Amino acid sequence: MSPWDILALEPTGDQLAIRRAYARRLKVTNPEDDPDGFQALRQAYEQALLHARRQVPDESVTAAAETAEAPPHAVDGTTEVPAEPVPAEATPPEPTVDEAVVRHVALCNHLGDLLSAQSPPDPAALKDALAAVLASPALTHIDVQNRTEDWLARLLLSTAPRSDALVPVASAHFRWDAAKASAQTPLLAAVQKRGRDLAFLAKLRGRDHAYAAAYRLLQAPPSRYSPRLRLSLPDLTKDVRGLMTLIRNDYPSLRANFDTEVLAAWEAYLAAEPVSAGLAWLLLATPLFLAAYVYLQASLSPEDLAAWPAGFLLIPPLLAAAGLAYRLGVRMPARWLRRRWARDAGPAIRLGWGPLSLVLIPLALALPPSVGIPVTAAAATLALWWAGLFQMVYANDTSRQAVRILLANSIPLVFWLFWIGPLLPTARVPAFAVAVTGALLATSIGAGLLTRWWYAEIEQPRRRRILAGLALAAMLTAGLLFAADTMPGLLPWAVTAVTLVQVLERVPSLALSGEAAKRRYYAIWGTGVALRVAHTMAGAVDTHDVLLIGGLVLMASVLGMIAYQLKRPQAA
């Protein structure tokens, strides 16, 4: 096959037409997918150029040479200044490959010197220098173009933020933004990411973005006693914290666009745990609410107090006390652990609150009521504090979506427990309720830790064995429910078994697809509504039936989830 057939071009001495044909063929010839085809295309291109240079220049060659002397156009439409002025009356000969490469290297060095200078360069000069590089005739050679792309990408990344204005121009010229992920190099992916970060920065600089005020605050160091930051609504420090977390996790290259000392000052300010605006207002208003409450208690008779909702005056002081307890009991210890313990705690320490919260459920029924209530309450408080503390230490592992899903998955169980509550021993119901609430809240607060442990630290074969064991526990619990229907003494333990299985299956259930999770959730609620309607209107379903049917439905949902995952090993 002749080089002209490979280039899909009629034989010609027009070098410009040859280069254009070569560029068109390059778009459909991937060196990684077809290395032989790419090599053949390259050889055809070189042979065609050699043939053209041996020909006597015709009108097309002369016209191409005159066009080459016209000021080239940049990507943004601006006109560039030629590297060397050429007299209008003379048409210079086309430079050789070596001469073109030498001029190209000089243009690249000029752009690099501008970006590396101590004083900030003129933006117009930067754009002109980049336009001269992109219009260089040497870029028609594929080797020179590949090396230039690599060099320019490294230069743009290493000289940020000076080079920010050049990133979109270079990306558009070399079509980096249109490159497929399979054909991307890590370097070009980093340039694309930088372009997306800069687009987000442009939105921050506007007035409509949610973090626009926080961005303006990050332009200067914080003032520790500024009332605008500490005692104003909305809480601006919360927005600053959210923006800094967003930049750290999702837009890390934007740190180069902020003053390093200013960011360090803000990080130190936020690490000092300043009182948020809402808590500050509560603390200031607490004495007023307490004074009003004491005045009403002292001045009104018991009959008048019954008509006044005086107890509502205690809500702001209670919220202020809870906020202080959270900061003193969770946030400050978490900060201390970050500094001294770093992130070296093993699973037994990070997740020890999980087994503790599960043991509480059978313990609440086994202990005497006089001992069970205080012990269960103290242990549940410890489990919640433990889960919150280590979730705060490993804050980057937080999954808000997982927390929402786990809380939503708790609703059918809570509804079932509330309905069959009268069947449990009355004296043990308070301790049991505290234990179940503590277990559900602890696993929701520590959702980030649990999901990280389940999906990142446990190998797939072991997860499948655990799921099989959970399926066996669900089937045994279903048998216990049937036995409890005829043996009332087993009823509390059947309820405990259902609750434990439901708590244990919540994290594995996160692997369900969105459609499968919805179908399962709607099926559970549909059964519950049908039972409720039958119990209320027809009287055909009593509480014992709810215990059996509802418990079996909950266990069936667990078995369905496990079967779904075992059929999809990648989800298990």
Side-chain angles (χ1 to χ4, degrees):
M1 182 178 293
S2 70
W4 308 110
D5 294 333
I6 297 176
L7 292 171
L9 183 68
E10 294 294 330
T12 179
D14 189 348
Q15 298 183 26
L16 183 60
I18 294 172
R19 289 167 181 162
R20 288 175 177 170
Y22 177 59
R24 286 195 299 270
R25 297 298 299 166
L26 274 179
K27 294 180 180 179
V28 296
T29 305
N30 191 335
E32 296 181 0
D33 298 337
D34 187 10
D36 295 335
F38 175 76
Q39 185 66 25
L41 177 62
R42 178 64 185 172
Q43 292 177 358
Y45 170 63
E46 293 176 350
Q47 292 174 10
L49 280 181
L50 181 61
H51 169 81
R53 288 174 183 144
R54 290 174 179 171
Q55 304 302 311
V56 178
D58 56 13
E59 295 180 358
S60 62
V61 177
T62 305
E66 292 175 355
T67 304
E69 296 307 317
H73 294 281
V75 177
D76 58 359
T78 60
T79 302
E80 302 171 4
V81 180
E84 295 183 4
V86 180
E89 65 275 6
T91 301
E94 182 176 325
T96 64
V97 175
D98 292 340
E99 292 174 348
V101 172
V102 170
R103 293 181 184 178
H104 180 72
V105 171
L107 294 174
C108 292
N109 289 337
H110 176 60
L111 176 61
D113 292 340
L114 288 178
L115 288 173
S116 303
Q118 292 184 354
S119 58
D122 179 30
L126 277 179
K127 291 184 178 180
D128 290 342
L130 176 63
V133 171
L134 299 180
S136 173
L139 289 180
T140 57
H141 301 279
I142 188 63
D143 295 335
V144 176
Q145 177 174 327
N146 289 338
R147 294 179 183 178
T148 301
E149 284 193 59
D150 185 82
W151 167 82
L152 186 57
R154 296 181 188 276
L155 180 68
L156 295 178
L157 291 175
S158 62
T159 56
R162 285 188 175 185
S163 60
D164 287 353
L166 308 183
V167 172
V169 179
S171 297
H173 180 85
F174 291 112
R175 300 180 63 82
W176 290 338
D177 291 336
K180 296 181 180 179
S182 59
Q184 270 188 354
T185 64
L187 183 62
L188 294 186
V191 177
Q192 285 191 8
K193 182 64 170 62
R194 177 63 178 170
R196 291 191 290 269
D197 291 359
L198 292 176
F200 175 72
L201 181 64
K203 295 179 181 179
L204 284 178
R205 288 171 175 166
R207 295 277 179 178
D208 299 331
H209 199 276
Y211 286 133
Y215 170 75
R216 291 191 294 271
L217 287 173
L218 285 176
Q219 304 308 305
S223 176
R224 181 172 296 276
Y225 301 103
S226 171
R228 190 167 73 91
L229 295 178
R230 298 289 294 278
L231 302 177
S232 62
L233 295 176
D235 186 0
L236 296 179
T237 55
K238 181 180 179 181
D239 291 343
V240 172
R241 189 191 304 275
L243 178 57
M244 292 186 67
T245 302
L246 191 66
I247 291 174
R248 181 171 57 253
N249 295 336
D250 298 336
Y251 304 98
S253 72
L254 289 185
R255 290 184 67 88
N257 293 81
F258 294 88
D259 186 275
T260 305
E261 296 182 357
V262 171
L263 287 182
W266 272 105
E267 288 174 352
Y269 173 77
L270 296 175
E273 303 297 338
V275 177
S276 64
L279 182 56
W281 280 111
L282 283 175
L283 291 174
L284 289 178
T286 290
L288 299 178
F289 282 98
L290 290 178
Y293 179 79
V294 172
Y295 173 78
L296 291 177
Q297 291 288 337
S299 60
L300 297 180
S301 62
E303 293 78 10
D304 294 333
L305 280 175
W308 283 78
F312 287 101
L313 295 174
L314 295 178
I315 293 179
L318 291 175
L319 292 176
L324 283 178
Y326 172 70
R327 291 183 177 275
L328 296 177
V330 176
R331 296 189 70 92
M332 290 183 66
R335 184 181 62 184
W336 182 86
L337 284 177
R338 282 196 193 101
R339 290 198 305 263
R340 287 169 172 75
W341 204 341
R343 301 171 69 85
D344 301 329
I349 301 298
R350 286 185 285 116
L351 304 171
W353 48 268
L356 173 62
S357 61
L358 292 177
V359 169
L360 289 178
I361 297 175
L363 192 66
L365 295 177
L367 293 176
S370 58
V371 179
I373 295 177
V375 170
T376 305
T381 303
L382 175 61
L384 291 173
W385 175 83
W386 193 346
L389 177 63
F390 276 90
Q391 184 63 51
M392 188 66 64
V393 173
Y394 293 80
N396 289 339
D397 300 326
T398 303
S399 174
R400 294 183 178 180
Q401 184 178 4
V403 173
R404 291 194 295 267
I405 294 175
L406 292 185
L407 288 174
N409 289 347
S410 304
I411 297 176
L413 174 64
V414 173
F415 183 75
W416 179 74
L417 290 174
F418 179 79
W419 200 348
I420 58 114
L423 298 177
L424 297 175
T426 305
R428 288 182 168 83
V429 167
F432 184 76
V434 170
V436 173
T437 303
L440 295 177
L441 289 179
T443 52
S444 298
I445 292 173
L449 296 173
L450 289 174
T451 53
R452 178 177 182 269
W453 169 74
W454 177 256
Y455 294 107
E457 299 182 21
I458 298 181
E459 297 180 355
Q460 182 178 342
R462 186 182 174 191
R463 288 204 302 270
R464 293 174 63 83
R465 290 195 295 270
I466 294 176
L467 288 174
L470 185 60
L472 178 61
M475 289 187 287
L476 293 176
T477 300
L480 187 59
L481 283 169
F482 278 109
D485 193 36
T486 57
M487 302 174 63
L490 294 177
L491 189 148
W493 303 109
V495 173
T496 299
V498 171
T499 305
L500 289 174
V501 171
Q502 279 284 296
V503 174
L504 287 171
E505 70 95 32
R506 295 199 306 160
V507 171
S509 69
L510 293 174
L512 289 173
S513 65
E515 189 64 28
K518 288 180 181 179
R519 288 199 300 266
R520 186 178 85 137
Y521 198 68
Y522 293 154
I524 295 174
W525 272 108
T527 305
V529 170
L531 287 175
R532 188 63 182 175
V533 170
H535 177 71
T536 303
M537 299 183 62
V541 178
D542 60 15
T543 308
H544 283 277
D545 295 330
V546 173
L547 169 70
L548 180 60
I549 299 174
L552 291 177
V553 168
L554 292 176
M555 293 302 98
S557 70
V558 175
L559 293 173
M561 179 273 296
I562 295 173
Y564 174 87
Q565 294 202 48
L566 292 180
K567 289 181 180 179
R568 301 173 66 248
Q570 67 276 13

